[in-house]
Amino acid sequence: EEAIAAVMNFLGMQPCDGTGVIKPNSGGKPHMLHLSGVFVGGKSVLARSQIAMQGDSGVILKIAVRSEDETISRLVADCIR
């Protein structure tokens, strides 16, 4: 839950389709988080991230960002490093 909140806060985006909450009984499977937002200038941005726990305190994040402008997609994805 903390990792999901951190990704949403770093990107300043909102979850879609109820993906902002981990479903009970997920069995330790990676969680898919779908996000949407609007970049400066009114450009829509969508992100799909996969969040998985690694050991007791680590997290693995895979993220793909899409928008009409490739530069915006890269900029948003680079916010998390």
Side-chain angles (χ1 to χ4, degrees):
E1 298 274 337
E2 289 179 38
I4 292 170
V7 171
M8 291 188 301
N9 287 333
F10 277 131
L11 298 178
M13 299 173 76
Q14 297 298 312
C16 300
D17 301 326
T19 60
V21 187
I22 297 175
K23 294 178 183 171
N25 302 326
S26 62
K29 293 181 187 176
H31 180 73
M32 291 300 295
L33 174 63
H34 299 153
L35 300 168
S36 68
V38 178
F39 196 77
V40 176
K43 300 279 186 176
S44 295
V45 181
L46 301 173
R48 181 182 64 216
S49 60
Q50 184 179 35
I51 302 169
M53 293 300 297
Q54 181 180 18
D56 292 334
S57 61
V59 175
I60 296 174
L61 172 68
K62 295 179 183 177
I63 188 165
V65 181
R66 298 286 184 263
S67 75
E68 296 174 8
D69 186 332
E70 183 178 338
T71 304
I72 293 173
S73 298
R74 174 59 45 205
L75 186 64
V76 171
D78 287 345
C79 284
I80 300 178
R81 288 212 174 213

